[in-house]
Amino acid sequence: MIVAVGLTVSPVREVVLRLQELLFPSIADVAVLSVEVDVAIVRVDAHSTSRGAACPQCGIWSARVHSSYLRFPADVPSGGRRVVLRLRVRRFRCLDRGCPRRAFVEQIPGLTRKHGQRTERLRSTLASVGLALAGRAGARLSAILGMSVSRSTVLRLVNALPEPDIPSPRVVGVDEYATRRGHAYGTVLVDIETRRPVDLLPDREASSVAGWLAARPGIEVVCRDRAPFFAEGARAGAPQAVQVADRWHLWNNLGDAAERAVARHRQCLRVLLPESVGKVEAEAEADEPVMSGETAASPWKSDRFANRIRARHATVHAMLEAGQSRRSIGRQLHMTHRTVKGLADAARPEDLFTGQYRFSRATAVDEYKPYLDKRWDEGCANAWKLWEEIILLGYTGSYGIVSAYIRKKRTSPRPVTAQPPTPRAVTR
C-alpha cells in the first residue's frame, strides 16, 4: 500500500499530516511525502522543511543549497515491521569565506547525526536494551522486536553513552582491589547507602584517596579497613568525616585473631583415636586384593601409580592375546601408538620402570646409612651434625642428601591418631 501527497486532494493531505504526527511526533521541520508498506518493511519518504542550516565549523547560517542526496537511516519498528527512512538531505554552501569548510550537510535534530546509519530514536532504544541485557541477549531480543543488530553494535552503542552524573555520596566505603594479586592494587570507592561503586583509583596511595575525598566536601562518614594509607588519606582529604569500620572487616579481623589464637594452642585439640580404629584400618589394608605380579616390597615410589601401570600392562596383553591389533588397542584405550608399543613390548610391568621411579637408586650416602640409623636410634636427629660425623668417615657427598634421608626418617609413618582440626576450621 502506498500513500502519496496530493496537492489538490485534501483527504490525502490529512492522512499524510496524521502520518507525520504519528511517525515524527517530537521532531520539527520534517515532511512526509509517502509511506510504502510491505510484508516485512515500511519505507517512509521524507525531507527537511527548514530553510537553511548552521555550519558545524563556524556556526554561520546558510540557506544557499549546493546539492542534495538520499540517506536511508533505519528507524524504530512499527507493528513488527522494520522501518527505513528514505530521507532527502541537502548540502549547503558556507557563506563565510574564511571557513575551511566550503559545504556541509544538514542534520535534523533528534533524527539524524553525522555518518549515522540509524535514527536517534533507534539508537536510544538499542542502547536501553543493551544496558538491560548486555550484548548477546540484547541482540537476540532486538531481532525479535524487528531491530536486527549484532551484539558488537549493541555494546558499541552502550559504550557511546555519556557517563551518568553520580551525586556525591554521604557515606563512602574505601577498600582495595587487585588487578594482579600480589603485584598491582587499586582503590575502589563505594556508596554505602546505595551499595553501588562510585569510582576506581589506579593505586592505593594516601594522596590519591585524599584528593578524591577533598573534591567531595559532602562526605560525612568514611568506612574503611585498617590500612594505614587509607587512614592517612581519609584524615587529609575529609577531616570533617567520621572514620568507621564496616561489618565485614570487623568479622574478618575477629576471625584472624581467633585463628592465630587457635594456632598457638592447636596441640590442645589433638585427640587420640581408640586403638581399635588403628587395628581396623590395618586389617582393611591387609585384606586389599593383590594384583598379579605384585610383591610384598614394592620397588616403586607410589603403589597407586604402580598398580595403574600393572593394570594397563595386563589389559594391553589380554587384548593382544585376543587377536586385536595395536592400532585398535590404542583407539579403544585412548593411548598413543608409542604408549601401546611400550606396554606390549614389556614382558612384565617391572621392565617399564627404571631410574627415578625406583627406590633402589644408588646414592652416595647408601654405605653410611647403617651408621646414620644407629645414631638416629641413639637420639641424634641433627642432620648437620650427622653430616659432619660421616665426613670424618670418608663421605664425599653433599649435605642435601643426608638432610633428605634424615627428613624421610623424621616424617616416617607414626601410630594412627586423629589429626587436630585446622585453626581456620575451628574459627569458622
Side-chain angles (χ1 to χ4, degrees):
M1 179 182 67
I2 300 177
V3 179
V5 171
L7 297 178
T8 60
V9 182
S10 59
V12 175
R13 183 188 298 274
E14 293 179 0
V15 171
V16 171
L17 291 177
R18 290 183 180 180
L19 285 175
Q20 180 176 335
E21 295 177 357
L22 178 64
L23 296 174
F24 310 105
S26 59
I27 302 175
D29 300 331
V30 176
V32 177
L33 301 179
S34 64
V35 177
E36 180 181 349
V37 181
D38 200 349
V39 176
I41 191 171
V42 177
R43 296 179 178 87
V44 180
D45 286 338
H47 69 92
S48 175
T49 59
S50 63
R51 294 185 177 182
C55 176
Q57 188 75 21
C58 62
I60 300 298
W61 182 266
S62 175
R64 187 177 178 184
V65 178
H66 176 277
S67 59
S68 65
Y69 65 95
L70 290 176
R71 293 181 62 178
F72 300 91
D75 199 7
V76 291
S78 176
R81 297 182 177 92
R82 293 171 54 248
V83 176
V84 177
L85 300 182
R86 195 154 45 199
L87 183 64
R88 179 166 293 277
V89 294
R90 296 165 293 178
R91 300 179 72 239
F92 292 93
R93 295 184 184 273
C94 184
L95 301 181
D96 187 3
R97 295 184 178 181
C99 181
R101 300 193 63 167
R102 299 295 181 88
F104 60 91
V105 179
E106 65 176 340
Q107 301 295 339
I108 302 176
L111 186 63
T112 63
R113 67 169 56 187
K114 185 178 180 180
H115 304 308
Q117 299 179 0
R118 300 170 183 84
T119 63
E120 294 299 297
R121 297 183 300 186
L122 182 57
R123 286 178 61 92
S124 61
T125 302
L126 292 174
S128 300
V129 172
L131 286 174
L133 300 176
R136 198 179 298 275
R140 289 199 296 264
L141 179 61
S142 300
I144 295 174
L145 298 178
M147 303 176 291
S148 180
V149 291
S150 65
R151 59 186 179 91
S152 301
T153 301
V154 175
L155 294 178
R156 186 164 53 250
L157 294 175
V158 171
N159 291 332
L161 294 175
E163 292 291 336
D165 294 333
I166 300 176
S168 178
R170 189 182 66 88
V171 182
V172 63
V174 184
D175 206 346
E176 62 184 12
Y177 71 95
T179 55
R180 184 184 178 192
R181 185 177 295 275
H183 295 82
Y185 287 89
T187 303
V188 58
L189 300 114
V190 182
D191 189 343
I192 299 298
E193 294 179 325
T194 61
R195 299 185 179 183
R196 291 182 176 274
V198 177
D199 203 350
L200 295 176
L201 303 181
D203 53 35
R204 51 178 180 178
E205 300 294 333
S207 58
S208 301
V209 177
W212 192 90
L213 295 175
R216 294 160 180 81
I219 295 177
E220 301 177 6
V221 181
V222 176
C223 187
R224 61 171 184 83
D225 63 0
R226 298 180 301 171
F229 38 83
F230 290 153
E232 181 182 351
R235 283 194 300 268
Q240 78 284 355
V242 179
Q243 300 185 32
V244 299
D246 60 11
R247 185 188 310 170
W248 185 90
H249 283 102
L250 290 176
W251 279 110
N252 185 63
N253 296 341
L254 178 60
D256 293 342
E259 185 173 346
R260 288 193 298 269
V262 172
R264 287 196 297 267
H265 304 282
R266 185 167 181 259
Q267 295 301 324
C268 301
L269 303 174
R270 184 179 294 276
V271 179
L272 294 177
L273 287 176
E275 295 182 358
S276 59
V277 176
K279 293 180 180 180
V280 169
E281 292 184 354
E283 292 174 359
E285 292 179 357
D287 293 339
E288 288 184 355
V290 180
M291 299 184 62
S292 61
E294 185 177 1
T295 59
S298 176
W300 291 283
K301 293 182 179 180
S302 173
D303 291 336
R304 184 177 61 180
F305 183 68
N307 293 339
R308 185 170 71 247
I309 295 300
R310 291 193 187 99
R312 297 173 69 181
H313 180 269
T315 303
V316 169
H317 279 263
M319 297 176 71
L320 288 173
E321 293 177 359
Q324 300 189 29
S325 64
R326 296 185 178 185
R327 188 182 299 274
S328 174
I329 294 173
R331 285 196 301 266
Q332 296 180 46
L333 301 181
H334 304 287
M335 298 180 183
T336 63
H337 175 73
R338 184 175 180 180
T339 303
V340 175
K341 182 178 182 301
L343 292 170
D345 294 343
R348 54 178 188 167
E350 286 77 5
D351 298 338
L352 297 172
F353 296 88
T354 57
Q356 60 178 338
Y357 295 98
R358 303 181 66 89
F359 281 129
S360 58
R361 188 177 182 180
T363 61
V365 79
D366 286 347
E367 57 180 304
Y368 301 97
K369 285 182 179 179
Y371 178 81
L372 295 175
D373 295 340
K374 177 183 176 182
R375 296 287 290 130
W376 175 270
D377 295 337
E378 293 175 356
C380 181
N382 191 324
W384 188 270
K385 184 177 181 181
L386 295 175
W387 176 61
E388 291 178 339
E389 292 179 4
I390 62 176
I391 282 181
L392 299 177
L393 300 179
Y395 174 71
T396 58
S398 65
Y399 162 75
I401 301 178
V402 179
S403 176
Y405 181 70
I406 297 301
R407 189 184 307 113
K408 183 179 177 182
K409 295 178 68 65
R410 189 178 291 113
T411 58
S412 60
R414 297 177 181 178
V416 179
T417 58
Q419 292 293 332
T422 62
R424 181 172 295 275
V426 173
T427 55
R428 289 185 176 180

